[in-house]
Amino acid sequence: MDIHEYQAKELLKQYGIDTPPGALAYSPEQAAYRSREIGGDKWVVKAQVHAGGRGKAGGVKVCTSDTEIQQACESMFGHKIVTHQTGPDGKGIYRVYVEGAVSIVNEYYLGLVLDRTTQRVMIVASAEGGMEIEDIAQSRPTSIIRATVEPAVGLREFQCREIAFSLGIDNSIVQNFVRLLEGCYRAFRELDATMLEINPLVTTEEGRVLALDAKMTFDDNALFRHPQIAELRDKSQEDPRECRAADRGLSYVGLNGQIGCVVNGAGLAMATMDTIKMAGGEPANFLDIGGGATPERVAKAIRLVISDANVEAILVNIFAGINRCDWVAEGLVQALKDNPVDVPVVARLAGTNVEAGQRILASSGLPIIRAGTLIEAAERVVNAWENSKQLSQRKKQPSKKVKAKARAVRQAVDAKTTS
Ligand code: ADP
Ligand code: MG
């Protein structure tokens, strides 16, 4: 789960990390009021969206008066911001963070990530602050400093100092940097984060080391241990399809194709999507019903997939171990009877109670196409989808009568213009 910059800063402050004074606003008037509370004569208005690259996309604006703050807000509130991290649809701006402007001496990049290969927390730093890490990795890969933390001993002070020296941080403020990095590591571990990025981390004339931007991602599977973090979820920033599924306790991943997939288990989901692609189709999503799914749970899953406007065909692929094919079939039939669809549905059931499941599908009176193997199922769903597409195109084509009328009108117009 991702959180907003202002939320990450709030958390990091509790770990002793220095940040500029700031406050959240939900309207231009509130933003101006907030700036007066903060004090000073220069502020930065920052769009709160779950994406970086806001600066280049007009989501970070420096202001020196109430009017400028209100103007900056008006260009943000209710609009969508598109950055290289938001995807082409962009993300809606519903909150802004007003922050005192800082006079920066140097900008650095600092990131903590869970490195799956080494199974360690890795610290990534660079003196090329403000730039995206992917760009730094391309333009000056040697400027990236990496350090791995041994979990048995934790982050050592000497490692922090080494990083500070490699970044060229002035001796007089190395200790401030060390405290900040130690705080970040503690926050990362204690809050079960999978990513913490401060870009830029800045130094000031007064010798402060500040987090000017902050991004944090948390391990969804550990959120039950941190209810205060789970509460920070902002659904306006997430794929609405994935939100609806999460609210119903289902794992759902939205994609860009046309074939909706209902499966059990992530491995089978991957195999199903690969096979659909091999058969010439593109998955619109995949929904994992998990193990031991009741007919009600299966029906909920099918309804969710049906509600996705991109879905033009559905493939239900269940390899039942703990699951029961008869329950899956019951749920599928129930959902299709309650919500009749005009898209083809293919079901491939295998494993526990498969005969009972097949009987339920066969006696349902619904046009569910059955398949025995995954490849067969994928080919059938792609064929059925292509056929239904052709059929609907034919339906959309004007009838002979309409065509004749259109021809008559065209001829009449032609006759007028030539006479
Ligand atoms: P993003 O990474 O989404 O573009 P940042 O928060 O990193 O957003 O802001 C972009 C740039 O704006 C920063 O690199 C920094 O130069 C400047 N900036 C951001 N906040 C402040 C601030 N409080 N004072 C001065 N400059 C700031
Ligand atoms: Mg940034």
Side-chain angles (χ1 to χ4, degrees), residues 7-189:
Q7 295 167 328
K9 282 180 169 167
E10 222 25 77
L11 289 173
L12 291 174
K13 264 191 238 167
Q14 293 164 25
Y15 286 85
I17 282 122
D18 201 0
T19 57
L24 190 70
Y26 290 94
S27 69
E29 299 72 31
Q30 199 184 12
Y33 178 76
R34 292 294 193 207
S35 71
R36 288 194 291 276
E37 276 182 339
I38 294 164
D41 53 13
K42 202 170 175 188
W43 304 270
V44 185
V45 175
K46 309 177 84 173
Q48 294 302 290
V49 289
H50 286 182
R54 295 165 301 169
K56 285 186 203 130
V60 176
K61 292 204 164 136
V62 179
C63 305
T64 52
S65 68
D66 268 18
T67 323
E68 278 180 22
I69 288 178
Q70 299 214 17
Q71 277 168 355
C73 287
E74 262 142 30
S75 73
M76 294 182 195
F77 276 119
H79 294 278
K80 283 204 163 172
I81 182 165
V82 181
T83 80
H84 62 281
Q85 288 185 3
T86 59
D89 290 343
K91 298 228 163 169
I93 305 171
Y94 308 105
R95 328 171 179 190
V96 302
Y97 190 53
V98 185
E99 196 171 64
V102 171
S103 56
I104 302 167
V105 174
N106 272 316
E107 292 190 285
Y108 304 91
Y109 175 93
L110 178 67
L112 278 75
V113 280
L114 192 65
D115 180 30
R116 290 174 198 279
T117 320
T118 56
Q119 302 180 357
R120 302 278 187 274
V121 176
M122 188 190 273
I123 298 169
V124 184
S126 166
E128 315 266 320
M131 274 171 75
E132 300 304 324
I133 192 69
E134 294 84 356
D135 300 337
I136 308 173
Q138 264 202 332
S139 60
R140 291 222 315 133
T142 49
S143 85
I144 297 179
I145 300 155
R146 290 184 183 84
T148 308
V149 184
E150 274 303 320
V153 291
L155 178 66
R156 310 309 296 171
E157 213 174 305
F158 80 87
Q159 287 184 292
C160 303
R161 276 198 301 273
E162 252 174 27
I163 296 171
F165 295 140
S166 310
L167 289 174
I169 287 180
D170 197 79
N171 276 350
S172 61
I173 53 169
V174 163
Q175 208 47 27
N176 290 349
F177 176 84
V178 171
R179 293 282 94 84
L180 180 136
L181 184 47
E182 284 176 337
C184 286
Y185 180 71
R186 266 197 312 124
F188 189 94
R189 287 298 308 266

Side-chain angles (χ1 to χ4, degrees), residues 233-376:
R233 172 163 244 141
D234 179 359
K235 291 183 181 167
S236 77
Q237 300 294 307
E238 296 177 13
D239 184 328
R241 300 176 296 177
E242 289 179 20
C243 277
R244 255 183 275 139
D247 288 345
R248 289 163 180 76
L250 295 158
S251 316
Y252 181 98
V253 176
L255 301 158
N256 301 322
Q258 298 79 23
I259 296 172
C261 308
V262 178
V263 294
N264 63 307
L268 189 62
M270 298 299 141
T272 308
M273 291 192 296
D274 283 348
T275 320
I276 287 175
K277 281 191 167 233
M278 250 168 57
E282 283 289 336
N285 53 43
F286 76 81
L287 203 151
D288 180 0
I289 60 166
T294 58
E296 292 73 34
R297 189 174 164 82
V298 174
K300 251 189 224 171
I302 306 283
R303 274 187 226 113
L304 260 173
V305 170
I306 295 171
S307 71
D308 184 339
N310 294 344
V311 169
E312 295 174 6
I314 298 170
L315 172 56
V316 179
N317 182 27
I318 302 294
F319 194 86
I322 307 168
N323 275 304
R324 293 174 43 168
C325 290
D326 52 337
W327 283 8
V328 172
E330 262 180 54
L332 174 60
V333 169
Q334 184 65 51
L336 295 180
K337 283 196 169 157
D338 293 347
N339 311 273
V341 289
D342 56 2
V343 300
V345 180
V346 175
R348 180 257 177 161
L349 304 179
T352 311
N353 293 356
V354 64
E355 295 82 9
Q358 298 293 11
R359 273 199 301 275
I360 294 169
L361 296 186
S363 61
S364 68
L366 294 167
I368 299 170
I369 304 165
R370 280 178 285 153
T373 62
L374 173 52
I375 185 78
E376 210 173 73

Side-chain angles (χ1 to χ4, degrees), residues 208-229:
R208 284 170 79 184
V209 180
L210 289 160
L212 224 57
D213 189 8
K215 253 204 228 110
M216 286 183 89
T217 306
F218 298 91
D219 181 352
D220 288 340
N221 294 318
L223 283 178
F224 74 97
R225 291 205 286 231
H226 309 287
Q228 81 285 13
I229 289 172

